Amino acid sequence: MNFILLGAPGSGKGTVAEALNKSFGLTHISTGDLFRMNIGNCTELGQKAKAFIDKGDLVPDDITVAMVKGRLSDKDCLSGFMLDGFPRTIPQAEALETMLQLTGQKIDAVINLQVSDAVIIRRISDRRVCKECGATYSISFNPPLKEDHCDVCDGLIVQRADDMPDTVLTRLATYARKTKPLVDYYAGKGILMTVDNEMGIGFAMRQIQDELKSKNIIN
Ligand code: AP5
């Protein structure tokens, strides 16, 4: 099975990917995480991407597509993957289709997470991440057991630079302009599933499992 997780910034793509991973063991590919890893390792790609990410803009399509193409050619993607945050533009979606045609793969479902902007802004302002391993916390509903330290690796918990209020508004506007058209694009292909992630993650997961069953993607 190959999935795409689509949704506005902070709509819960990473959280749902983690839950899906527990159920299906698919390889999780987050373009945001790949960029942050490159920034942390001071690679040339990371330096190019940082300027766009810090402003809340998208990294240019050519840079992003080349990075995803490299990642999808890794062996662990052959048995199924979840793309989290890719594609985010129509040209990226078209490039993905070309890549998959070459390997004889296809996307089985596009999971579109719906959350209102007001809830997104609250969740993002509550979000903290581990500087070392990237584990995500919410200071309201899922705080780390030890203040400011990660439960997984004891690394320092910080707020993402692009989670500052002004940048979040830019990210939401960028989403509306460049990424939202993908909802119609994938609906037209008959593989879009719309999931309400305004409530708890358990509620979102039940909707996903029901939809996958109704489409005979899982038993
Ligand atoms: P990326 O890291 O992908 O950022 P994003 O899309 O803005 O998404 P987020 O990581 O902010 O949120 P999420 O949807 O994963 O939500 P989460 O699960 O954390 O990308 C960063 C940047 O990289 C982009 O802005 C762009 O510049 C660049 N980039 C990335 N991909 C690109 C591409 N393809 N092309 C060009 N540029 C690209 O959840 C948020 C919070 O809500 C968490 O605290 C979580 O605990 C909580 N939460 C989630 N679900 C629930 C629930 N059901 N109930 C209660 N709380 C919940």
Side-chain angles (χ1 to χ4, degrees), residues 152-164:
V152 181
C153 72
D154 206 39
L156 195 63
I157 304 287
V158 295
Q159 190 164 24
R160 265 169 51 176
D162 62 345
D163 278 354
M164 296 305 157

Side-chain angles (χ1 to χ4, degrees), residues 42-112:
C42 299
T43 67
E44 198 185 329
L45 170 69
Q47 279 169 2
K48 279 185 195 159
K50 189 176 185 319
F52 297 97
I53 293 175
D54 285 352
K55 281 191 290 182
D57 290 338
L58 294 185
V59 179
D61 287 340
D62 56 339
I63 298 176
T64 308
V65 167
M67 178 178 77
V68 172
K69 198 171 177 184
R71 182 64 184 92
L72 280 177
S73 66
D74 290 340
K75 266 196 183 140
D76 62 350
C77 294
L78 286 175
S79 50
F81 57 80
M82 280 176 297
L83 286 166
D84 160 357
F86 181 91
R88 282 188 208 226
T89 63
I90 300 281
Q92 287 183 16
E94 290 167 348
L96 175 65
E97 224 165 284
T98 307
M99 276 179 230
L100 297 180
Q101 268 164 11
L102 290 173
T103 53
Q105 290 166 294
K106 69 175 173 60
I107 298 296
D108 297 290
V110 177
I111 301 170
N112 178 34

Side-chain angles (χ1 to χ4, degrees), residues 9 13-15 31 36 57 85 88 92 127 171 197 199:
K13 300 181 294 294
T15 307
T31 38
R36 280 185 288 277
D57 290 338
R88 282 188 208 226
Q92 287 183 16
R127 177 169 56 189
R171 285 162 65 197
N197 192 32
M199 319 280 278

Side-chain angles (χ1 to χ4, degrees), residues 7-216:
S11 58
K13 300 181 294 294
T15 307
V16 168
E18 208 183 304
L20 280 171
N21 203 7
K22 282 185 190 141
S23 305
F24 303 119
L26 303 171
T27 297
H28 176 201
I29 304 168
S30 155
T31 38
D33 286 349
L34 288 175
F35 285 133
R36 280 185 288 277
M37 191 180 76
N38 275 280
I39 292 169
N41 292 338
C42 299
T43 67
E44 198 185 329
L45 170 69
Q47 279 169 2
K48 279 185 195 159
K50 189 176 185 319
F52 297 97
I53 293 175
D54 285 352
K55 281 191 290 182
D57 290 338
L58 294 185
V59 179
D61 287 340
D62 56 339
I63 298 176
T64 308
V65 167
M67 178 178 77
V68 172
K69 198 171 177 184
R71 182 64 184 92
L72 280 177
S73 66
D74 290 340
K75 266 196 183 140
D76 62 350
C77 294
L78 286 175
S79 50
F81 57 80
M82 280 176 297
L83 286 166
D84 160 357
F86 181 91
R88 282 188 208 226
T89 63
I90 300 281
Q92 287 183 16
E94 290 167 348
L96 175 65
E97 224 165 284
T98 307
M99 276 179 230
L100 297 180
Q101 268 164 11
L102 290 173
T103 53
Q105 290 166 294
K106 69 175 173 60
I107 298 296
D108 297 290
V110 177
I111 301 170
N112 178 34
L113 299 175
Q114 285 200 322
V115 183
S116 65
D117 282 2
V119 171
I120 282 178
I121 289 167
R122 180 167 46 76
R123 283 185 186 167
I124 289 187
S125 71
D126 272 6
R127 177 169 56 189
R128 298 293 181 273
V129 293
C130 173
K131 224 178 153 179
E132 303 303 324
C133 73
T136 300
Y137 298 89
S138 159
I139 50 173
S140 298
F141 93 104
N142 174 32
L145 297 172
K146 197 164 100 189
E147 204 182 341
D148 295 336
H149 287 272
C150 178
D151 295 348
V152 181
C153 72
D154 206 39
L156 195 63
I157 304 287
V158 295
Q159 190 164 24
R160 265 169 51 176
D162 62 345
D163 278 354
M164 296 305 157
D166 283 355
T167 316
V168 171
L169 294 180
T170 307
R171 285 162 65 197
L172 285 170
T174 303
Y175 167 79
R177 213 174 56 250
K178 297 192 172 164
T179 308
K180 218 172 169 190
L182 288 174
V183 172
D184 285 342
Y185 178 88
Y186 284 117
K189 293 187 181 293
I191 53 172
L192 189 81
M193 284 171 35
T194 297
V195 171
D196 178 355
N197 192 32
E198 192 102 13
M199 319 280 278
I201 191 70
F203 180 62
M205 287 304 293
R206 277 194 297 281
Q207 292 170 71
I208 293 173
Q209 303 239 356
D210 289 349
E211 284 263 10
L212 292 175
K213 277 182 192 162
S214 75
K215 290 181 166 34
N216 289 321

